[in-house]
Amino acid sequence: MQSTKPLVATNIQKLPAKSIAFRGVSKRFGDNVILDDFNLDIRSAEKLAIIGPSGSGKSTILRILMTLEDIQRGEITIDGEKLWHDEPGGAVLAEGRKLREIRGRVGMVFQHFNLFPHMNVLRNVTEAPVRVRGMTRAAAEKRAGELLDLVGLAEKADSYPIQLSGGQQQRVAIARALAMEPSVLLFDEVTSALDPELVGEVLNVIRLLARESNCTMIMVTHQMGFAREFADRVCFIESGKIVEEGDPNQMFAAPQNERTKAFLNAVLEA
């Protein structure tokens, strides 16, 4: 991977970070309870790692923040503004301009890249700023050039996703998320679909963002070593509830909950 430039050129670090609060959130699929009276506070500019077994509700938390999933009960706020709130019939999503404004603060990088296969790299990065934010094509392409340079892919602007490695596609996906200038950035198992030798190039970009950006960042991951390095705080989730949370060094060196100990022992041994 090419050396990356500091984020000064992208102005990302100048964006105000946002705090997030979950209050009494319940989410189910049929009879399957995913989140059960779930409560979580995430500070402005905090780097939070969420760990736990498969099916514990980790990715659902991110998808709810992106409004890709609904909830049955509870309240979710971003900087005090209600994304979801309770009414007698159940949880209600914000509407209209308020929803668009809140959504515009949140960007997400998915496990399987989700790039548009019929668009080249430049179009993948510029499409949302042009269509959603109303940026001019010239302004969007200028910013896309800066972001592709940041993730070490300036020379791939005219390439199509099929011509890229998995690591390169994921770096394009990060650039695409950053192009919308989010103040909250979500990472959902972003290395799990990659060959092991490609993981490092993606994590290097995230390291840079974590170090130099004041975005609030939430990462769902099975990369325990990276979670310990990346995060200000780690949350271990099982069966839709927070079992244990705390400082990464304390969590990984001396977890207090027996279930946390068993999970970390199993993952680290594997």
Side-chain angles (χ1 to χ4, degrees):
M1 178 178 170
Q2 296 178 3
S3 61
T4 53
K5 293 184 177 181
L7 289 183
V8 168
T10 69
N11 293 325
I12 296 169
Q13 80 286 356
K14 296 180 182 178
L15 295 172
K18 301 294 179 181
S19 59
I20 300 168
F22 289 73
R23 291 287 181 272
V25 172
S26 295
K27 168 65 181 175
R28 64 180 182 274
F29 293 112
D31 294 331
N32 187 20
V33 176
I34 308 300
L35 297 178
D36 183 16
D37 192 25
F38 183 79
N39 297 283
L40 176 64
D41 287 291
I42 303 162
R43 302 184 304 273
S44 293
E46 184 175 17
K47 311 304 186 266
L48 177 71
I50 300 177
I51 63 173
S54 297
S56 60
K58 306 184 302 297
S59 293
T60 301
I61 292 167
L62 305 189
R63 293 179 64 82
I64 289 170
L65 281 174
M66 284 292 291
T67 67
L68 298 173
E69 302 286 355
D70 60 7
I71 62 175
Q72 280 69 49
R73 291 287 180 187
E75 180 177 286
I76 300 173
T77 60
I78 299 180
D79 247 24
E81 296 195 55
K82 294 179 181 180
L83 178 63
W84 292 91
H85 67 277
D86 259 334
E87 290 194 356
V92 176
L93 184 63
E95 295 181 344
R97 181 181 297 177
K98 180 175 285 291
L99 176 59
R100 291 192 296 273
E101 195 275 329
I102 296 173
R103 272 178 171 164
R105 303 175 186 176
V106 184
M108 184 166 174
V109 183
F110 296 87
Q111 178 178 352
H112 293 289
F113 325 139
N114 290 10
L115 300 179
F116 297 115
H118 62 290
M119 295 182 184
N120 66 18
V121 165
L122 185 64
R123 282 287 302 279
N124 263 282
V125 178
T126 59
E127 197 69 6
V130 170
R131 290 185 176 272
V132 177
R133 299 196 63 191
M135 290 181 68
T136 66
R137 180 68 62 180
E141 289 185 354
K142 180 177 184 297
R143 178 165 176 76
E146 294 173 346
L147 292 170
L148 290 173
D149 195 22
L150 173 74
V151 300
L153 292 173
E155 78 286 359
K156 298 293 186 179
D158 295 326
S159 299
Y160 285 81
I162 197 171
Q163 298 173 304
L164 305 178
S165 70
Q168 289 171 331
Q169 290 186 60
Q170 194 60 288
R171 285 188 276 152
V172 172
I174 293 172
R176 181 180 61 179
L178 292 172
M180 292 294 285
E181 298 185 335
S183 52
V184 177
L185 199 51
L186 313 176
F187 298 93
D188 186 18
E189 296 282 10
V190 294
T191 61
S192 63
L194 301 178
D195 291 335
E197 66 268 25
L198 302 178
V199 169
E201 65 188 59
V202 174
L203 295 184
N204 283 339
V205 172
I206 299 173
R207 281 187 184 95
L208 182 65
L209 295 174
R211 185 172 67 246
E212 299 195 23
S213 165
N214 75 344
C215 279
T216 303
M217 299 169 70
I218 309 172
M219 172 178 284
V220 168
T221 184
H222 282 108
Q223 295 276 343
M224 297 299 113
F226 187 73
R228 186 170 187 169
E229 173 191 346
F230 159 86
D232 300 315
R233 177 168 51 123
V234 175
C235 286
F236 172 63
I237 292 178
E238 187 173 49
S239 301
K241 289 184 175 293
I242 296 175
V243 175
E244 186 171 354
E245 61 183 306
D247 174 85
N249 290 323
Q250 185 275 323
M251 281 278 290
F252 286 106
Q256 301 301 300
N257 186 278
E258 290 301 321
R259 182 64 189 100
T260 311
K261 292 179 185 178
F263 173 79
L264 290 175
N265 286 338
V267 171
L268 294 175
E269 285 176 6

